[in-house]
Amino acid sequence: MYALSKEDVSVVAPLYNINAIFLIFISFLFLSEKITIQKIVGSILMIYGVSYLKKKNQSQVHTKIY
């Protein structure tokens, strides 16, 4: 709830869902799951998407100030 009061939902939701990336590595360590190319590509796309949304949101803040 704190994050939602400080940021837009479009930024907070992907950041919240990025925990799936950590689950991939934890399941690899503790459950001996295989890390496939699909999981790696999906993780990279998630990180890119979150960084894109965050960059877009920061540029909007700067345009509002000036």
Side-chain angles (χ1 to χ4, degrees), residues 25-59:
F25 296 112
I26 290 172
S27 65
F28 172 74
L29 292 175
F30 295 110
L31 301 175
S32 301
E33 292 280 332
K34 293 183 178 180
I35 297 180
T36 62
I37 191 71
Q38 290 91 355
K39 292 177 184 177
I40 293 170
V41 170
S43 298
I44 292 170
L45 288 174
M46 287 178 67
I47 292 169
Y48 174 75
V50 168
S51 66
Y52 178 77
L53 285 174
K54 193 64 180 165
K55 186 186 336 179
K56 181 179 174 186
N57 190 30
Q58 287 177 350
S59 67

